[in-house]
Amino acid sequence: MTENVLSAARVLDLIELIAAADEGVLLREATMRLNAPKSSTLMLLRTLVNRGYVYRDTVSDRYVLADQHRSGGFGWISDPHARLVAAARPFMESLSQALGESMNFAVLDKPGHARALTQVVADVEVRYVANINRPIPLYCTAIGRVLVSRQPEAEWGQMIGEGPFLALTRYTQTDPIEIMKIIGQVRDQGHAVVMEEFALGGTGVAAPVLGADGRAVAALNIGCVTSRFAEKRERLIGAVMAAANALSEQLRVRRPAATP
């Protein structure tokens, strides 16, 4: 799932680079950001111009995304998470099929909460299905705890909020000190397991998807029926961590280098 055709990846990286730059990019900027030869980058730019995706401003000599595509037709401009979801879905579908459990993919949202971007529901008779429109509390979910754990520790308290924290089930941890300890353990382990703190009958197993700076940009989560969890605990943890690591690496490989 991490293989890329270099030529196709370079074209997409170039389009994404131009799409993210309101004023367009110069040839030398594109060459530097993509770490690509000037001659081949120029040929790719000319091809994009000839196909109508990009135009060259003759005054500034910058290459700019065509208006009809900048309006959001590709999703690169209108939905900042479109690329994340597109990259995550193959991992989610593969894991769900292999493990027989549902998958969720979520990002940080409003203070104290995350939100699900997409879900893959397991194709089995008894399965855990989340309401992806429901806000996800950071303090008592596997998704929330892995997202918080990969931010600077000084920010944890502000991220989860001061409380008091609502006991959503009889198992929900609501003590702020204990929650902080658990988040520290999650950081050290690289994954979170939450059994029925958010919803009775459901166990979450999550791992962080990391950006180049080491912070979590998203969380990959298995929503497991609790009665099945014990027998495949280690398998679920290993699978979600491996997939999250592979997805993190894929996103880093595809992302153009940051401007110095």
Side-chain angles (χ1 to χ4, degrees):
M1 282 186 282
T2 59
E3 294 89 353
N4 282 309
V5 176
L6 181 59
S7 58
R10 186 159 289 170
V11 171
L12 292 172
D13 284 344
L14 184 57
I15 294 176
E16 291 172 359
L17 175 64
I18 297 170
D22 291 338
E23 297 180 355
V25 298
L26 295 169
L27 171 60
R28 59 178 173 79
E29 293 173 340
T31 300
M32 178 181 65
R33 294 281 299 278
L34 298 178
N35 192 28
K38 180 179 179 180
S39 57
S40 61
T41 303
L42 177 60
M43 293 305 297
L44 290 177
L45 285 168
R46 286 176 174 171
T47 300
L48 291 175
V49 169
N50 291 337
R51 297 294 292 268
Y53 291 101
V54 170
Y55 67 89
R56 184 173 71 86
D57 187 305
T58 56
V59 175
S60 66
D61 209 28
R62 290 183 173 274
Y63 291 86
V64 182
L65 192 69
D67 290 342
Q68 62 267 35
H69 299 312
R70 181 166 293 281
S71 65
F74 287 125
W76 296 323
I77 302 302
S78 60
D79 184 355
H81 296 122
R83 181 180 170 190
L84 268 177
V85 171
R89 288 287 301 192
F91 289 93
M92 297 171 66
E93 290 164 1
S94 177
L95 283 184
S96 182
Q97 183 175 15
L99 301 172
E101 304 294 348
S102 298
M103 301 293 304
N104 288 284
F105 188 66
V107 294
L108 288 167
D109 193 26
K110 60 186 179 181
H113 294 83
R115 70 180 176 94
L117 298 179
T118 189
Q119 178 177 217
V120 173
V121 177
D123 186 18
V124 294
E125 290 297 323
V126 179
R127 55 202 175 188
Y128 181 82
V129 181
N131 177 359
I132 65 171
N133 295 316
R134 179 183 179 186
I136 302 168
L138 299 181
Y139 72 93
C140 67
T141 61
I143 286 172
R145 289 172 182 171
V146 296
L147 288 172
V148 173
S149 74
R150 294 312 297 254
Q151 312 305 320
E153 187 171 351
E155 299 177 10
W156 292 358
Q158 182 180 0
M159 291 180 69
I160 68 171
E162 296 180 357
F165 299 112
L166 182 64
L168 301 179
T169 77
R170 62 182 180 274
Y171 302 109
T172 307
Q173 178 59 256
T174 60
D175 185 320
I177 295 176
E178 290 301 316
I179 293 170
M180 290 297 186
K181 289 181 181 178
I182 293 171
I183 293 173
Q185 294 168 358
V186 169
R187 176 192 57 197
D188 296 339
Q189 295 170 167
H191 71 273
V193 174
V194 172
M195 297 184 68
E196 302 196 353
E197 291 191 48
F198 181 57
L200 291 175
T203 293
V205 186
V209 176
L210 304 179
D213 60 359
R215 295 192 180 210
V217 297
L220 190 63
N221 179 78
I222 301 172
C224 180
V225 175
T226 299
S227 61
R228 295 197 292 256
F229 177 66
E231 64 182 278
K232 51 184 176 180
R233 176 189 179 99
E234 297 307 317
R235 184 184 177 203
L236 294 178
I237 292 172
V240 77
M241 289 182 68
N245 288 338
L247 178 55
S248 300
E249 179 60 26
Q250 178 173 306
L251 292 171
R252 285 194 291 270
V253 167
R254 292 176 58 193
R255 183 179 180 180
T259 302

